[in-house]
Amino acid sequence: MYKKDDKQKPDNYRPISLTSVVCKVLERLLVNEIMVYLQGKKLITNKQFGFLKGKSTTSQLLTVINDWVAYLDKGGDIDVVYTDFKKAFDSVPHKRLLLKLARCGFSGQVLN
């Protein structure tokens, strides 16, 4: 599915999911249970905005701008560094991710 810019570049297309409906339903159930677990163990900070219901890049931006304005009103200075984590999870070593999940308390079928 085409996203933007040059139609000749493969990076400008989104992949099309061919996952079955049953797999999608099971994935959603698993994600919900994992999120309940992570939030119950307080493993997700309130500064996390991605992948959470009711939080988005827009709400993150509004929160940050509000914090910056409050700090500037007090006479503070702000320096900002922007980073691009495009495809960040594609570069995470699988074994390291599994170790971190195990340290968070995931085990058994969920970890498998």
Side-chain angles (χ1 to χ4, degrees):
M1 184 180 277
Y2 175 70
K3 290 190 299 189
K4 61 179 179 167
D5 300 329
D6 186 0
K7 289 187 176 186
Q8 301 302 315
K9 292 185 179 180
D11 284 351
N12 292 330
Y13 287 84
R14 287 186 179 89
I16 297 172
S17 176
L18 299 176
T19 307
S20 72
V21 174
V22 173
C23 287
K24 288 180 182 184
V25 169
L26 289 174
E27 180 182 289
R28 177 57 37 208
L29 290 171
L30 186 60
V31 166
N32 288 341
E33 289 300 315
I34 289 172
M35 292 307 294
V36 166
Y37 176 83
L38 291 173
Q39 290 169 336
K41 297 284 185 178
K42 300 198 184 318
L43 294 172
I44 295 181
T45 173
N46 64 350
K47 302 215 183 283
Q48 171 72 36
F49 282 82
F51 308 106
L52 293 177
K53 278 188 179 173
K55 289 193 169 187
S56 65
T57 55
T58 302
S59 58
Q60 184 274 335
L61 183 59
L62 290 170
T63 300
V64 164
I65 289 174
N66 186 58
D67 292 346
W68 289 350
V69 168
Y71 192 71
L72 289 171
D73 284 346
K74 293 178 183 175
D77 295 322
I78 297 174
D79 293 319
V80 179
V81 176
Y82 292 95
T83 57
D84 183 1
F85 290 110
K86 182 179 178 185
K87 297 192 177 196
F89 285 105
D90 292 347
S91 63
V92 173
H94 194 73
K95 287 183 181 181
R96 186 179 305 163
L97 179 60
L98 290 174
L99 285 171
K100 286 185 180 269
L101 289 170
R103 286 187 191 138
C104 287
F106 291 97
S107 62
Q109 288 297 99
V110 172
L111 196 57
N112 288 336

